[in-house]
Amino acid sequence: MTDVKAGVEYKINVDGNSFLLDSKKYNLLESILETGSLTAAAKEINVSYRTALNYIDKIESTLDVKVVTTTKGGKGGGGGTSLTEEGYSILKECKKINAIMELHKDVNEIEAEIVDINDVKGVMTIKMEEFEINAPLNRNYKIGDHILALISYDNIFLMLEPQASSIRNILKGQIVEMRLEGEIIRVKINIGGITLCSDITVSAEKELNLSIGKEVYVGFKAMSVATLKL
């Protein structure tokens, strides 16, 4: 089977100007922040000093802002390169994206079909095998569209009994696997022929007294469901 991987680019917008910052340029800005030197940063990301300069020039000319500032040292050295306020803001926004991606890197992927659209409530109903769930309405979709529903493991809550709450999606299933991963227990639940994964703490597992074969309810908010049209 072909190994398929996707890279990340950060779309930066500054006063109406846009630039796609790839991982190499992101790493350069991060290294400049850490080392205080363009030379050291270029070496750290394994590019030449001239290439690093070209990276910076391309960012600055496209966004029309200065992202780094350079000070010259005397005979004894002391010069260096640092991020400007704009450069640091760009890096900070990219770091926020990284943090969100890391938090939700493990997701349930389920193919589904849109069976109902509620414009008033801003939700759509999607059918997965033997059950249906609610997801945020995407007005580019229509009934009958096939989509991929993505639900982060840590957005799925486990309950012994259904509870009244703001959670719109509550489904009954059975635990088929439990695996300790560091400080987290990954629980797999079979729901109508589809397996959903939930990450819970060790203390939560003890409080619920979970075990393989036990029937539980899984719950997740409609807003925690991301969708892609297939």
Side-chain angles (χ1 to χ4, degrees):
M1 183 178 178
T2 304
D3 184 22
V4 179
K5 295 182 179 179
V8 175
E9 288 187 332
Y10 309 88
K11 187 175 182 180
I12 308 300
N13 294 290
V14 178
D15 295 333
N17 298 315
S18 298
F19 182 78
L20 284 178
L21 190 75
D22 60 26
S23 59
K24 204 78 171 179
K25 296 177 182 66
Y26 165 82
N27 289 335
L28 177 64
L29 295 181
E30 187 173 45
S31 294
I32 290 173
L33 178 65
E34 293 174 352
T35 65
S37 165
L38 183 59
T39 300
K43 185 176 180 180
E44 194 169 273
I45 69 168
N46 198 30
V47 300
S48 68
Y49 181 80
R50 182 177 293 275
T51 297
L53 277 177
N54 288 337
Y55 285 171
I56 296 299
D57 180 65
K58 193 166 186 178
I59 297 170
E60 293 184 337
S61 60
T62 304
L63 294 177
D64 195 26
V65 294
K66 293 288 292 182
V67 297
V68 301
T69 180
T70 301
T71 56
K72 294 182 178 180
K75 292 183 178 180
T81 301
S82 59
L83 298 182
T84 62
E85 182 179 343
E86 290 80 8
Y88 181 76
S89 294
I90 289 170
L91 183 62
K92 183 177 72 172
E93 289 304 308
C94 294
K95 284 180 174 288
K96 284 163 60 177
I97 295 172
N98 283 350
I100 294 171
M101 290 175 60
E102 182 64 25
L103 182 62
H104 299 290
K105 66 180 179 179
D106 294 319
V107 296
N108 295 285
E109 301 181 15
I110 308 170
E111 292 189 17
E113 180 184 352
I114 298 174
V115 295
D116 186 55
I117 290 176
N118 190 319
D119 288 291
V120 176
K121 293 184 178 180
V123 298
M124 56 188 182
T125 303
I126 57 180
K127 183 176 178 60
M128 306 172 174
E129 296 292 341
E130 300 177 7
F131 63 91
E132 297 178 353
I133 66 171
N134 291 315
L137 175 62
N138 186 318
R139 299 187 185 279
N140 293 321
Y141 297 167
K142 63 182 184 298
I143 293 176
D145 281 347
H146 290 273
I147 63 171
L148 185 66
L150 307 174
I151 314 167
S152 175
Y153 291 1
D154 54 5
N155 277 337
I156 293 184
F157 305 94
L158 299 186
M159 300 168 282
L160 298 181
E161 296 290 341
Q163 302 172 10
S165 69
S166 61
I167 298 175
R168 296 184 66 96
N169 299 303
I170 299 180
L171 307 166
K172 187 177 182 179
Q174 185 178 50
I175 296 175
V176 294
E177 182 180 315
M178 296 175 64
R179 186 172 68 250
L180 180 65
E181 297 190 358
E183 300 298 319
I184 296 296
I185 295 178
R186 180 154 296 171
V187 185
K188 291 185 179 181
I189 308 100
N190 180 277
I191 303 171
I194 290 178
T195 299
L196 295 181
C197 293
S198 173
D199 284 347
I200 64 172
T201 62
V202 174
S203 60
E205 182 271 335
K206 290 181 179 178
E207 289 174 6
L208 295 172
N209 191 26
L210 301 181
S211 60
I212 294 176
K214 189 166 188 172
E215 290 189 342
V216 294
Y217 290 87
V218 301
F220 50 93
K221 294 182 177 182
M223 290 302 296
S224 67
V225 183
T227 58
L228 298 171
K229 189 174 179 180
L230 295 177

